[in-house]
């Protein structure tokens, strides 16, 4: 039976320890997940995390298959982030229009351009007009840059006369949390881009306020207010990380259950084909030839890839 290869690039190789095998919890009354399929990552940049946050599949090919499956499951949530960005632009346009003055024209123009870019990006992703490689690797970062640019433009244009340490902090915290729920990336890139966004936002806001208040600047008060912003960002990132891991656990459990059911289906198909061959040619013994370096598990993995990713 011909099976198409669903993907060929091992983008994310997982490091794991075979002697630290665990099982994912399952519902009461159901069979517990297989041991030695879910292990605890024993190397890398996540060793400081608790044990339950360092789960990975073994072997690496199964983890790669799961990561591709996970990213495709979160592809639709990327569109949700695009909608969030468009709603932010609509908010800016409405607020500037209601309280319109001549200095609001630049904010309205920039928000209109950002809204047009969000609509275009939504249509391209919604109808699959971009290559799959571009959608997976480039679009999440393009959307992050677009959101950051919109936020900083709103900060610089709408609050140009007199800045406060709380300017656009709420929007920055909101988008920081949304990144963990919507971006189809692994946790490390999401944490990095979120930390960069929050750090640059805090730095720009602090430098701008210090320049505007050169004569009567209150350094201690400004420092406390910026520190409060950092605490807000830290809380948003912490809740985002927890939400990311809860979603990851949910998807891993669903992935294991689907994999087990697909393996049963594959075995039943092979048994039925074997019975057909034995009934049509009872006096002949058929031999299954494999290419050098290819084994039965590899063929099963190809079948799982075809069913999961097509």
């Amino acid at each position: 039976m011909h099976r198409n290869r669903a993907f060929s690039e091992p983008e994310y190789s997982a490091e794991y320890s075979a002697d630290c095998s665990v099982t994912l919890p399952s519902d009461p009354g159901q069979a517990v997940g297989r041991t030695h399929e879910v292990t605890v990552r024993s190397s890398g940049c996540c060793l400081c995390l608790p044990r339950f946050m360092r789960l990975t599949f073994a072997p690496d090919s199964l983890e790669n298959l799961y990561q591709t499956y996970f990213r495709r499951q979160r592809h639709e949530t990327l569109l949700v982030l695009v909608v969030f960005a468009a709603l932010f632009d609509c908010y800016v346009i409405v607020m500037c229009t209601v309280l319109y003055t001549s200095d609001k024209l630049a904010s309205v123009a920039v928000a209109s351009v950002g809204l047009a870019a969000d609509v275009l990006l939504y249509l391209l992703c919604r109808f699959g007009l971009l290559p799959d490689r571009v959608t997976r690797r480039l679009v999440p970062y393009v959307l992050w840059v677009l959101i950051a640019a919109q936020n900083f433009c709103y900060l610089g244009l709408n609050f140009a006369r007199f800045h406060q340490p709380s300017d656009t902090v709420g929007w920055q915290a909101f988008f920081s949390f949304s990144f963990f729920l919507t971006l189809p990336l692994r946790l490390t890139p999401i944490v990095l881009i979120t930390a960069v966004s929050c750090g640059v936002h805090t730095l720009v806001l602090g430098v701008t306020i210090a320049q505007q208040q050169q004569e009567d600047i209150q350094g201690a008060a400004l420092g406390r207010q910026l520190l409060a912003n950092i605490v807000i960002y830290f809380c948003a990132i912490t809740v985002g990380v927890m939400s990311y891991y809860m979603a990851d656990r949910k998807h891993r459990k669903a992935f294991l259950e689907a994999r087990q059911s697909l393996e049963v289906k594959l075995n039943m198909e092979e048994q039925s084909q074997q019975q057909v061959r034995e009934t049509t040619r009872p006096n002949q013994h058929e031999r299954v030839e494999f290419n050098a370096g290819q084994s039965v598990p590899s063929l099963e993995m190809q079948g799982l890839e075809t069913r999961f990713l097509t």
Side-chain angles (χ1 to χ4, degrees), residues 22-227:
V22 296
T23 42
L24 284 176
S26 55
D27 295 335
Q30 295 182 353
V32 181
R34 300 180 183 181
T35 58
H36 302 288
E37 283 188 344
V38 182
T39 62
V40 178
R41 191 178 290 110
S42 61
S43 60
C45 59
C46 300
L47 294 180
C48 59
L49 296 176
R51 178 186 176 92
F52 72 92
M53 289 187 175
R54 293 185 282 118
L55 297 181
T56 183
F57 285 124
D60 288 346
S61 57
L62 185 60
E63 178 66 19
N64 295 335
L65 177 61
Y66 166 74
Q67 291 296 336
T68 304
Y69 162 79
F70 181 69
R71 291 195 304 273
R72 294 202 175 190
Q73 289 295 315
R74 298 193 70 172
H75 176 70
E76 294 183 358
T77 62
L78 183 65
L79 299 179
V80 176
L81 185 60
V82 179
V83 172
F84 287 165
L87 291 177
F88 171 72
D89 290 322
C90 293
Y91 164 81
V92 175
I93 294 174
V94 170
M95 294 302 296
C96 292
T97 303
V98 171
L99 303 175
Y100 183 78
T101 56
S102 59
D103 57 343
K104 301 289 185 181
L105 180 60
S107 299
V108 174
V110 172
S112 301
V113 172
L115 181 60
D118 293 332
V119 172
L120 177 61
L121 186 60
Y122 180 88
L123 294 176
L124 291 176
C125 295
R126 179 66 179 82
F127 297 103
L129 302 179
L130 296 175
D132 186 63
R133 181 183 292 270
V134 174
T135 302
R136 289 186 291 107
R137 292 188 173 184
L138 189 60
V139 170
Y141 297 101
V142 170
L143 183 57
W144 166 63
V145 172
L146 181 61
I147 291 175
Q150 292 171 352
N151 196 17
F152 282 114
C153 288
Y154 180 57
L155 174 65
L157 296 175
N158 196 64
F159 304 95
R161 292 184 176 180
F162 187 75
H163 287 279
Q164 295 289 339
S166 60
D167 292 344
T168 67
V169 171
W171 284 108
Q172 181 64 42
F174 170 75
F175 282 117
S176 298
F177 175 71
S178 300
F179 290 156
F180 292 92
L181 300 181
T182 56
L183 288 180
L185 301 172
R186 303 196 82 175
L187 182 62
T188 302
I190 297 178
V191 172
L192 289 178
I193 64 177
T194 304
V196 169
S197 298
C198 295
V200 173
H201 184 273
T202 303
L203 180 63
V204 170
L205 197 57
V207 172
T208 303
I209 295 175
Q211 289 180 348
Q212 289 182 347
Q213 302 176 358
Q214 292 181 358
E215 298 180 356
D216 55 348
I217 185 173
Q218 299 178 356
L222 178 61
R224 287 194 299 268
Q225 291 171 332
L226 294 179
L227 181 60

Side-chain angles (χ1 to χ4, degrees), residues 274-290:
Q274 183 67 23
Q275 291 177 357
V276 170
R277 287 195 295 265
E278 290 177 355
T279 55
T280 55
R281 288 178 287 184
N283 297 327
Q284 297 181 1
H285 298 281
E286 292 193 0
R287 298 179 178 178
V288 180
E289 298 180 355
F290 298 94

